[in-house]
Amino acid sequence: HPPTHARMKIASKMKLGILCILYGCVSGLLQMSSRPWGSKSWNWGSAVGDAHDAAFDLRRKLGSESARLEFVQNLKKGQGTNWLETELCLALVWQQARGKLPAAYTEAYQQLTCGKIQTSTELARIVAPAIERYCLNVKLSVLPERIEDFLRVIKQNEEYVRAYEPRNLRYSWGQAEAHPNEFHFQEQFVEEVGFQEHINAANFQKWNAFCDSEPFSSPPKVEFWRTMSNIADEEPPHIVAAAVLASLNFVGKGWI
């Protein structure tokens, strides 16, 4: 028999090997590094195959509205998801909505599922023409004695937007260098409905109450505008994917 220390080394290596095998099993189909789309093993559209199994797991993972909200918000941050999982989510939503999709989404679905799309950038550029962005610029002049209250309300509003508004793509604000009482905002939403959801949210009523307390030295200036540029030229693919899901109300509707 080998010495005790040798047996311990052998046992340790065996345990490590077993752990590696188990990790490979539980890491899931969605962690695969190779492109599965269009492959026989992936077998999209069939009740048998890797795609069916991965779809089952993803549907279960995102079965609640809160889970879908977290998924989209993490996607906008570029964290918590991998790109294959994102593609699978898009494909499942597009599959359910076939016949009601914009032409760009239909094209993306067809090319993705037959394996013609190789990169996230390719997918983003195909879907980009269908994404409508509704934007606004705001200028606020705050009374010096109300700036502390203003900052408190705005920070609360920003936290809410980033956590609970899937149609919001940008919420940027700051203080003017030359005029410390002047604040500027730039906000961007997926379609005008995103802005309407924003101002109708319960949290926004706190902002309305603040405005009613006469905190400004001059009336707020608000300008609305729609983008004419391509979102894929300005934002990374994970932001574009989040915008697609938001445009289809994925958080609220789910897989319907």
Side-chain angles (χ1 to χ4, degrees), residues 12 19 21 31 52 111 117 120 125 136 139 141 149-150 169 173 186-187 200 218 223 248-249:
S12 178
L19 287 173
I21 292 172
Q31 302 295 332
H52 177 270
Q111 292 199 29
I117 295 177
S120 58
R125 290 199 172 279
L136 61 150
K139 175 185 172 182
S141 298
D149 293 337
F150 168 79
L169 297 178
W173 64 283
Q186 185 182 74
E187 302 175 39
N200 288 324
S218 61
E223 294 182 348
L248 297 172
N249 194 19

Side-chain angles (χ1 to χ4, degrees), residues 13 36 51 54 72-73 76 81 88 102 126 153 161 181 183 222 234:
K13 289 181 179 179
V72 174
Q73 299 301 73
K76 289 194 290 186
T81 62
L88 181 57
I126 294 172
V153 174
V161 169
N181 296 340
F183 295 84
V222 183
E234 301 173 3

Side-chain angles (χ1 to χ4, degrees), residues 79-114:
Q79 64 186 39
T81 62
N82 62 68
W83 187 247
L84 178 55
E85 185 176 58
T86 301
E87 288 181 331
L88 181 57
C89 182
L90 288 170
L92 288 170
V93 175
W94 286 334
Q95 184 184 52
Q96 293 299 317
R98 279 184 298 180
K100 303 176 183 179
L101 293 172
Y105 291 177
T106 299
E107 180 183 356
Y109 175 76
Q110 293 171 345
Q111 292 199 29
L112 175 66
T113 55
C114 70

